[in-house]
Amino acid sequence: MPRMMPRVPDKTLRHLEWSRVLGRLAEHCRGPVAADAAARLPFAADRRELDTRLARTTEARRLLDAGRSIPLSGVPDVVPAARAARRGGLLEPEQLIAVGHHLEAAARCRRYLADLEDEAPLLAEQALGLADEPDLGRALLDAFDEHGELADSASGELGYLRTRVGTLHEQLKQRVHGLLGDPEYEGMLQDDYYTIREDRYVLPIRSGHKRHVEGIVHGWSASGQTVYIEPQPVVEANNKLLMAQAEVNREIRRVLTKLSRQVGEAARAIEDSQQALVAIDLAVAAGLLSKELEATAPALTNAPRLRLKAARHPLLLLAGVEVVPNDILIEPPHQVLVVTGPNTGGKTVALKTAGLCALMTLAGLHVPCAEGTTLPAFPGVFTDIGDEQSLDDSTSTFSGHIANVNAILGAMTPGSLVLLDELAVGTDPLQGAALAQAVLEGFASRASLVVVTTHYESLKALPFDDARFRNGAMGFEVDRGAPTYHLTLDVPGSSSALRTARRLGLAADIVDRAEALAGPQQKALQTVIEALEREAAQARIEREAAEEERRVLRAARESAEAIEGKLRQRLRDGLARERDAALEAARKLRDQVQKAQRELKGQRRDATWLAEQKSKAERAIDEVVAAKEADKQAAAGPAPAPGTLKAGQRVWVVSLGAEAELVAPPDDRGRCEVRAGILTVKVDAADLRPVSAKQAKRNRDEIEGRRPPSPATADVDWESAPPQTPDNTCDVRGMRAHEALEKVERFLDGQFERDRSIAFIIHGHGTGALKREVRQWLRSSRYARDQRPGQRHEGGDGVTAVLLA
């Protein structure tokens, strides 16, 4: 059965300033609809919705970290327009333009996320709800110009009709302008201009001459000295202009009606699309907030466990304050974390940090904590923070707190998180401490998790008698006389009230008197607690240093193992290619013998000569096969006794499948250092096998000697070698020497496998260093039979040509 939405009273939201978190989330939204939804973001209604929200936030953060930006835009709310169009309403141009922008943004976002289905499956799935109407969106935007007016191209008639209106305007203006200079109106005009009244061109006639001008009166000036008359000669032209403008207006209305009808047909898809776009916008905003806070995804658990690793107060982070991270841990059998320490030492900040992390989790947001953070989806979060005094209902601080605690007890369910700041203050300290203990025991018996801050000494002692309680001390640096804001678990904290008062500037004589009144017993207790705090702080420093050292050593070991593994694999791959090439050469030789036998079959040849050639070929094949069998037998033999191994001895390394030189005998752990070519590694003594002197010499000859020419290249010389082509050319210009030689070796190996006879290395001129390195390496390479500088048409001395073995 799905869990109902968690209970979080408005008072809790105010205490924790939750609206400020949502306000920052809203600022990260691109669209106003998403920003409004973020500012009113509800908590997830059930576990499935919560898991989905967190996963979407994680996907968005992953895309942002990879430098990807989902193409969202600030499109206004288009749902009212879509609904109006569905009911047959006529949409205004700005509404149609907004719908067009939404459809374009939706199509763009849908295509973008479709390509990221593997990286962000939930966001890609959400994008399927975006409207796929790019043609309608383009048609809507193309129908309007940059000023938001319907474009002439919106219909076949509109441009023509507007041109006709413009022509009539010009004709009419010329006609009216001509009347201004007409002798018939001389002395009658109030001024030498014409104007427009009621959409018709008129002349300003002096009121005394109104009966002398034939036409239609359209009004008077405010003074009554001027009457605006439409002269009879332009009445017909004015009528034509108005009728032409009416035709334009009818065409505009027809186009708007057509576009509105198209929007109405897609209204359902547009409404769903806006909902999907808002969800994606919210997820991206949550990812941006996660990145800003350097937050992580919390792991949800069904166990009553609050495990906040390196937690930081999100609002302080957003304000740019340097925050001390703290581990806030309540794990079985503990249920209540009693946080004590000095005033202004960060107790309330730690309390609110726990509450805000719980609320951010319930909203599907990442929390400003380190990896490994775990907490449940709390069924409720309740707080009693601050002064509950009210003059309106005659409520004191103490009675206000008690009323709030009582309300929490009535509303909470098992598993809720309860945050209590300075519980049961504002009354007799002895009775207040007793009441506070009883309240905490009551919450613990109701299976809730509680974080409480206090100065009551009796509450600091609870963890020593009740396993459900755990101490947490906010640090105070005695030597500096200032809080450290670091939470140390399992030790009680000192209130350090007198030290804090002195630090805040209270008169020294008053503080001295207070210390005398506190008595030696209180001073001794204070000294013990301060000693515990110092020991805990030192232990924390040493633990952090040890953890950092372990981290560095672990990283170094992992890096060394990775490098060793790569080198081992490269050596194994190289030796495997050598063995495969030798066996392939033997197979080709056998094939040549068989081919020669078939060609010579039936021919009259000297029987003795034929037998000699066959015997030579078979001996060559037997030597290759025997050499490889000897390698296998060496690997299969028993390991030598550690005491018989000496530096400089040749051994066979089973894991590498190669012969190597023993650099150092076995150490106390039975590890030896061996050198195989350029690779020096440590291996177990049990991984070694003895190699006979004869076998070692054969292996050295095989390693140091060049490859025998392959049948395909043996008879090729510089005169008969093929010309330079892209396939037989390797360009290493601009590389470091070791990078270039690695590339050349891989290239020549590939050319050899393809039975190519010649290769060209482009190294350029430069300082000449790379050219020297390449040519020096080629002199000892088993792939190269001969080399020379490139000829003029091949690139000159910036190229080296190689005859392959």
Side-chain angles (χ1 to χ4, degrees):
M1 182 177 180
R3 180 179 62 81
M4 300 299 292
M5 185 176 291
R7 297 195 62 178
V8 183
D10 291 341
K11 182 175 291 187
T12 294
L13 301 179
R14 290 197 306 272
H15 286 164
L16 298 178
E17 300 178 271
W18 177 240
S19 61
R20 292 178 58 191
V21 176
L22 295 185
R24 186 56 178 165
L25 178 67
E27 291 175 6
H28 283 300
C29 292
R30 296 291 300 277
V33 184
D36 183 62
R40 299 179 290 104
L41 183 67
F43 299 111
D46 53 47
R47 179 62 179 270
R48 177 179 296 179
E49 181 185 349
L50 179 56
D51 289 339
T52 301
R53 285 198 200 180
L54 285 171
R56 284 179 185 163
T57 301
T58 299
E59 290 183 358
R61 172 67 186 277
R62 189 161 55 237
L63 293 178
L64 292 168
D65 288 343
R68 297 181 179 274
S69 178
I70 298 177
L72 297 168
S73 57
V75 179
D77 189 359
V78 296
V79 169
R83 290 175 177 171
R86 189 172 70 243
R87 293 192 298 267
L90 182 66
L91 300 184
E92 296 295 329
E94 58 269 19
Q95 292 176 301
L96 292 168
I97 292 172
V99 172
H101 282 305
H102 171 87
L103 292 176
E104 265 209 338
R108 187 167 58 249
C109 187
R110 182 185 176 111
R111 289 193 303 270
Y112 185 86
L113 287 174
D115 295 334
L116 300 177
E117 185 176 3
D118 293 337
E119 300 174 62
L122 289 177
L123 290 176
E125 181 182 3
Q126 186 72 63
L128 296 177
L130 296 172
D132 191 15
E133 298 280 354
D135 294 339
L136 176 57
R138 189 73 265 156
L140 290 172
L141 296 179
D142 288 345
F144 298 91
D145 60 22
E146 64 273 14
H147 305 295
E149 300 289 337
L150 205 60
D152 290 346
S153 58
S155 77
E157 292 292 323
L158 186 57
Y160 164 74
L161 293 175
R162 282 177 170 169
T163 300
R164 183 164 173 263
V165 167
T167 301
L168 292 175
H169 260 297
E170 289 299 321
Q171 292 175 352
L172 186 55
K173 284 192 291 185
Q174 292 176 8
R175 183 74 180 274
V176 175
H177 191 270
L179 293 178
L180 294 176
D182 194 325
E184 183 180 347
Y185 296 97
E186 186 175 356
M188 300 182 186
L189 295 170
Q190 186 70 266
D191 206 344
D192 189 20
Y193 71 90
Y194 60 87
T195 186
I196 296 176
R197 287 296 177 94
E198 298 176 350
D199 294 329
R200 302 180 76 87
Y201 283 86
V202 297
L203 296 176
I205 304 297
R206 292 174 179 173
S207 58
H209 293 281
K210 64 181 178 181
R211 296 184 182 277
H212 301 144
V213 177
E214 185 178 359
I216 302 171
V217 176
H218 286 280
W220 284 263
S221 65
S223 65
Q225 299 298 311
T226 304
V227 60
Y228 296 101
I229 298 176
E230 178 186 0
Q232 189 63 42
V234 299
V235 170
E236 183 61 26
N238 265 326
N239 289 340
K240 287 183 179 180
L241 177 61
L242 288 177
M243 287 188 291
Q245 186 61 54
E247 289 184 43
V248 170
N249 293 339
R250 281 194 297 272
E251 182 62 16
I252 289 175
R253 185 176 181 85
R254 188 191 69 79
V255 174
L256 293 179
T257 301
K258 175 185 174 183
L259 295 176
S260 299
R261 187 182 305 114
Q262 292 175 336
V263 171
E265 292 170 355
R268 297 289 186 190
I270 292 172
E271 292 179 41
D272 294 341
S273 181
Q274 178 165 293
Q275 184 178 357
L277 196 62
V278 167
I280 295 171
D281 200 346
L282 280 173
V284 174
L288 289 168
L289 181 63
S290 171
K291 190 169 185 177
E292 182 180 20
L293 294 174
E294 297 181 0
T296 61
L300 297 179
T301 177
N302 293 323
R305 173 181 289 110
L306 177 67
R307 185 177 182 83
L308 304 180
K309 300 288 291 181
R312 295 155 295 146
H313 194 294
L315 296 180
L316 293 180
L317 290 174
L318 294 176
V321 177
E322 185 176 351
V323 182
V324 176
N326 282 306
D327 292 344
I328 303 175
L329 310 178
I330 307 177
E331 299 179 292
H334 301 131
Q335 290 178 252
V336 181
L337 178 62
V338 181
V339 181
T340 53
N343 296 95
T344 70
K347 298 189 300 297
T348 304
V349 169
L351 184 87
K352 290 185 175 182
T353 299
L356 283 172
C357 287
L359 295 187
M360 293 177 77
T361 299
L362 292 175
L365 304 176
H366 286 179
V367 294
C369 302
E371 294 288 348
T373 291
T374 304
L375 68 166
F378 291 108
V381 179
F382 302 90
T383 59
D384 180 50
I385 301 174
D387 191 353
E388 296 295 330
Q389 180 175 250
S390 173
L391 296 178
D392 294 335
D393 55 7
S394 301
T395 302
S396 68
T397 298
F398 176 74
S399 59
H401 281 298
I402 294 303
N404 196 22
V405 168
N406 194 42
I408 295 173
L409 287 168
M412 60 164 287
T413 56
S416 295
L417 177 65
V418 181
L419 308 171
L420 306 171
D421 189 30
E422 303 293 353
L423 178 61
V425 295
T427 188
D428 175 74
L430 185 60
Q431 295 185 31
L435 182 59
Q437 179 175 340
V439 169
L440 294 177
E441 290 173 348
F443 279 122
S445 65
R446 288 167 172 78
S448 63
L449 296 184
V450 183
V451 181
V452 59
T453 66
T454 185
H455 289 283
Y456 288 139
E457 298 293 340
S458 60
L459 297 187
K460 299 178 186 179
L462 275 176
F464 298 100
D465 298 324
D466 192 332
R468 297 174 299 174
F469 291 79
R470 185 178 198 180
N471 266 320
M474 300 306 301
F476 188 86
E477 192 172 321
V478 178
D479 298 335
R480 195 165 53 94
T484 64
Y485 305 109
H486 191 279
L487 177 64
T488 302
L489 298 173
D490 299 321
V491 296
S494 170
S495 296
S496 301
L498 301 182
R499 293 181 184 274
T500 302
R502 194 184 297 277
R503 178 173 59 87
L504 295 176
L506 188 61
D509 60 324
I510 295 177
V511 178
D512 292 341
R513 175 59 177 161
E515 289 178 345
L517 291 173
Q521 186 176 1
Q522 180 65 29
K523 188 174 182 180
L525 178 60
Q526 179 82 4
T527 302
V528 171
I529 292 177
E530 289 175 354
L532 286 173
E533 289 179 345
R534 281 194 295 270
E535 291 178 4
Q538 184 61 33
R540 174 174 56 82
I541 293 172
E542 293 175 356
R543 183 176 65 251
E544 291 175 351
E547 289 176 353
E548 176 64 17
E549 185 176 356
R550 282 197 297 271
R551 187 191 66 77
V552 172
L553 290 175
R554 183 167 57 251
R557 185 178 66 250
E558 291 173 354
S559 176
E561 289 175 350
I563 293 173
E564 182 180 353
K566 290 180 180 179
L567 293 174
R568 284 175 178 269
Q569 187 60 44
R570 286 178 57 188
L571 183 57
R572 280 195 293 266
D573 292 345
L575 293 172
R577 285 196 300 270
E578 295 287 343
R579 287 193 295 268
D580 292 344
L583 292 174
E584 180 64 21
R587 283 193 292 269
K588 287 182 179 179
L589 188 57
R590 182 184 290 112
D591 293 342
Q592 287 177 343
V593 171
Q594 293 173 350
K595 180 180 179 182
Q597 287 177 326
R598 287 193 300 271
E599 290 177 350
L600 294 175
K601 188 176 181 180
Q603 296 182 9
R604 292 185 177 180
R605 299 293 301 270
D606 186 274
T608 302
W609 178 86
L610 184 58
E612 289 176 355
Q613 298 303 313
K614 178 181 178 183
S615 177
K616 290 179 180 179
E618 288 176 346
R619 281 198 302 273
I621 294 171
D622 291 341
E623 287 177 2
V624 172
V625 174
K628 300 310 167 184
E629 286 298 326
D631 289 347
K632 293 181 180 179
Q633 290 173 6
T644 64
L645 295 172
K646 299 179 180 178
Q649 180 179 347
R650 304 296 296 183
V651 292
W652 182 265
V653 185
V654 175
S655 60
L656 298 180
E659 183 185 337
E661 178 186 355
L662 186 64
V663 178
D667 56 21
D668 295 338
R669 295 183 298 167
R671 301 275 287 175
C672 305
E673 187 172 329
V674 298
R675 183 187 300 113
I678 63 171
L679 177 66
T680 301
V681 295
K682 282 193 173 184
V683 297
D684 291 332
D687 199 27
L688 305 181
R689 299 292 184 272
V691 177
S692 64
K694 180 179 179 181
Q695 180 65 23
K697 182 179 184 306
R698 185 185 61 76
N699 289 341
R700 284 196 301 274
D701 292 342
E702 182 179 283
I703 292 173
E704 296 172 0
R706 295 184 177 180
R707 294 174 181 260
S710 71
T713 63
D715 297 330
V716 178
D717 56 17
W718 291 114
E719 298 297 328
S720 60
Q724 182 180 12
T725 66
D727 289 341
N728 64 10
T729 303
C730 177
D731 190 346
V732 295
R733 287 175 293 182
M735 293 185 176
R736 295 180 181 274
H738 70 277
E739 295 173 342
L741 295 181
E742 287 182 3
K743 183 174 180 180
V744 169
E745 183 176 12
R746 290 194 301 271
F747 171 72
L748 294 182
D749 188 71
Q751 296 294 302
F752 187 86
E753 293 290 339
R754 297 180 181 89
D755 285 332
R756 299 284 173 80
S757 58
I758 192 170
F760 296 85
I761 313 300
I762 303 177
H763 40 65
H765 298 284
T767 63
L770 182 59
K771 175 172 62 178
R772 288 193 299 273
E773 290 287 342
V774 170
R775 290 178 177 175
Q776 183 176 352
W777 181 85
L778 287 172
R779 291 189 190 100
S780 59
S781 172
R782 69 190 65 188
Y783 296 106
R785 183 151 52 97
D786 194 7
Q787 61 171 299
R788 64 165 172 77
Q791 297 178 359
R792 184 173 184 181
H793 67 278
E794 295 168 342
D797 200 36
V799 174
T800 296
V802 184
L803 274 183
L804 297 180

